[in-house]
Amino acid sequence: MRNRRPILRTALPLTLTTGLASALLLGTPPATATEDPVDAVATSLYAPAANPAAYQQADELERAEQRREAAGLRAMARTPHAVWLAGRTPDEVRNETRGVVRDAARRRATPTLVLYNVPGRDCSLYSAGGLRDTTEYRAWVGAVAEGIGDSRAIVVVEPDALALVPADCPGSGGKDGKDGKDDKKAKAAATAARYAQVADAVTTLGTLPHAKVYVDAGHPAWHTVDSIVPRLIKGGVQRATGFSVNVSNYSTDDANAWYGRLISSCLAHVDTGGKASACPTQKWKRADAQRWLDQHAHFAPDRMKHFVTDTSRNGQGPWSPPAGKYKDAQDWCNPPARGLGARPTTRTGDPLNDANLWIKTPGESDGECLRGTKGPKDPERGAIDPKAGVWFPDQALELVRLANPPIMPR
């Protein structure tokens, strides 16, 4: 199962502190989120300027006398969410990053920055892009680091880059003979380069004094723990604060927390000489997995890698496609009837989960989903979905109406 995501528009800087949805709707100052995971200094999470289409849609709903939906959409737009850095030159990304962290610092807020420019991104599929080679990527990451400087930041490194390495990508079609061997050799070289690129990015960003760095680990319905842990290690997680889970996906809070704990425990087990292949996965019965953890990975949280969780669209959990209806249901791609999840906060109640964040920008399309059909319409929605990263009014309204906890006023 793959979890692709769009190239997301990077918003202009603006902040709004985290707080209760009711405060946002009523226009009163929301409560600030405390216990900043960067250095435990009380602060707020940063809200960049929302996609203008969100406010346009809210205005249209207001004119249609759908005032509750309009208020909910505005509250969603103002909620702290990540700034995605992609497709810019080193000079551009340095200036943009510097502008974001400085604006956040003025407002005593911590921004979430997402690096999304690794070469060969997304197997050249829905979210294709990225820089041309390692040299370009190293310079680009260095510019991001210069932009952050000594400012506070939560940094998520390359969603999907380790969960979907070049070796996982569809081949050229050659299975036998010279073409097949060349394709396999090229994939192996590109995969080795991918691990080195991500590890180098983690090393560069990990030297920053007030940034916490999380390398992406996919989500619980994709790789098993014993599969993703070796990839995280090759990607330099030992030099990071930890890893991110559920970016742009829909897994439940419970599934994400358990997956994160199992990964953290397995990384600690490997760090003390154990093997990842021995670690319990999310497919084990929890009682069996817990017994294994008690025997082999009973570590204090401060000796383990922590994680951050994307809760932007998991309020209703994952979509279950109709059985047998589609050749490829693409349950990750604009699934219907999903809702916003838990609000961003650094008070998660879980000593391993540093923050719940809205990493994916809710309301922006995952791409033109065909679900194994010829298209051009998304057969589940009966219309052509917007391209990746473009505002999707129908989905945005679903997210607001089905938010859990609710975001619309009563």
Side-chain angles (χ1 to χ4, degrees):
M1 175 182 178
R2 292 173 183 162
N3 172 32
R4 307 187 190 105
R5 65 199 32 78
I7 301 172
L8 295 181
R9 167 199 53 79
T10 303
L12 297 174
L14 178 70
T15 63
L16 185 74
T17 52
T18 54
L20 299 176
S22 58
L24 290 169
L25 298 174
L26 296 173
T28 56
T32 57
T34 58
E35 296 183 4
D36 178 4
V38 173
D39 58 7
V41 174
T43 189
S44 306
L45 293 171
Y46 177 80
N51 190 320
Y55 292 110
Q56 293 171 10
Q57 184 180 3
D59 291 343
E60 291 171 1
L61 290 168
E62 191 80 42
R63 288 192 290 272
E65 297 188 353
Q66 293 179 267
R67 295 184 178 86
R68 292 178 66 246
E69 286 84 355
L73 200 64
R74 292 188 182 108
M76 180 181 80
R78 294 166 181 161
T79 299
H81 54 276
V83 174
W84 288 63
L85 306 172
R88 291 166 174 76
T89 67
D91 285 343
E92 289 171 336
V93 79
R94 182 188 300 108
N95 292 336
E96 179 187 14
T97 304
R98 185 174 290 144
V100 170
V101 298
R102 285 181 175 176
D103 186 64
R106 283 193 295 270
R107 302 170 188 268
R108 292 185 56 77
T110 299
T112 298
L113 304 172
V114 183
L115 272 67
Y116 197 52
N117 214 10
V118 73
R121 186 179 65 206
D122 196 39
C123 295
S124 300
L125 295 170
Y126 282 71
S127 298
L131 296 168
R132 289 180 296 183
D133 54 36
T134 297
T135 300
E136 280 194 355
Y137 187 65
R138 183 177 291 118
W140 187 85
V141 171
V144 173
E146 290 172 5
I148 296 172
D150 61 0
S151 298
R152 295 190 187 117
I154 296 168
V155 185
V156 176
V157 176
E158 297 296 344
D160 287 0
L162 299 182
L164 187 63
V165 297
D168 302 320
C169 297
S172 60
K175 295 182 179 179
D176 301 308
K178 186 175 183 297
D179 288 345
K181 290 180 180 178
D182 288 347
D183 182 55
K184 187 175 181 179
K185 187 176 180 180
K187 282 187 174 183
T191 299
R194 170 68 59 79
Y195 285 127
Q197 290 155 359
V198 173
D200 186 60
V202 170
T203 298
T204 298
L205 296 162
T207 62
L208 301 175
H210 298 300
K212 283 210 168 183
V213 181
Y214 302 86
V215 62
D216 190 59
H219 59 84
W222 197 353
H223 285 278
T224 55
V225 172
D226 56 344
S227 171
I228 198 62
V229 162
R231 295 181 181 218
L232 289 169
I233 292 170
K234 291 178 184 178
V237 72
Q238 64 272 25
R239 294 184 292 278
T241 305
F243 53 95
S244 57
V245 298
N246 202 48
V247 175
S248 289
N249 210 263
Y250 303 84
S251 296
T252 64
D253 291 341
D254 179 67
N256 290 324
W258 182 238
Y259 188 55
R261 183 183 174 194
L262 290 176
I263 292 174
S264 294
S265 299
C266 190
L267 287 168
H269 178 64
V270 172
D271 192 52
T272 57
K275 294 183 178 180
S277 58
C279 295
T281 79
Q282 67 271 37
K283 296 180 182 293
W284 285 30
K285 292 182 179 179
R286 289 208 183 183
D288 294 338
Q290 187 60 59
R291 280 192 291 272
W292 190 97
L293 295 177
D294 292 341
Q295 292 175 359
H296 302 284
H298 192 65
F299 303 100
D302 61 359
R303 293 186 57 201
M304 302 170 71
K305 292 298 179 183
H306 291 198
F307 59 95
V308 293
T309 305
D310 187 353
T311 61
S312 59
R313 303 187 297 179
N314 72 341
Q316 297 296 327
W319 175 53
S320 296
K325 185 175 182 180
Y326 302 117
K327 293 180 180 179
D328 178 8
Q330 296 180 307
D331 57 3
W332 54 269
C333 192
N334 297 330
R338 300 304 92 196
L340 299 170
R343 306 296 183 270
T345 181
T346 59
R347 286 186 166 182
T348 67
D350 182 340
L352 293 176
N353 185 13
D354 284 343
N356 291 331
L357 304 169
W358 283 10
I359 298 174
K360 159 73 178 181
T361 306
E364 293 183 354
S365 176
D366 294 319
E368 297 171 281
C369 315
L370 303 181
R371 310 192 194 282
T373 69
K374 293 182 179 180
K377 293 182 178 180
D378 178 345
E380 191 62 25
R381 293 181 174 275
I384 299 174
D385 296 340
K387 292 183 179 180
V390 175
W391 191 254
F392 194 171
D394 290 348
Q395 186 189 75
L397 196 55
E398 291 171 355
L399 292 172
V400 166
R401 285 174 169 166
L402 298 173
N404 180 24
I407 200 168
M408 293 195 303
R410 295 181 180 179

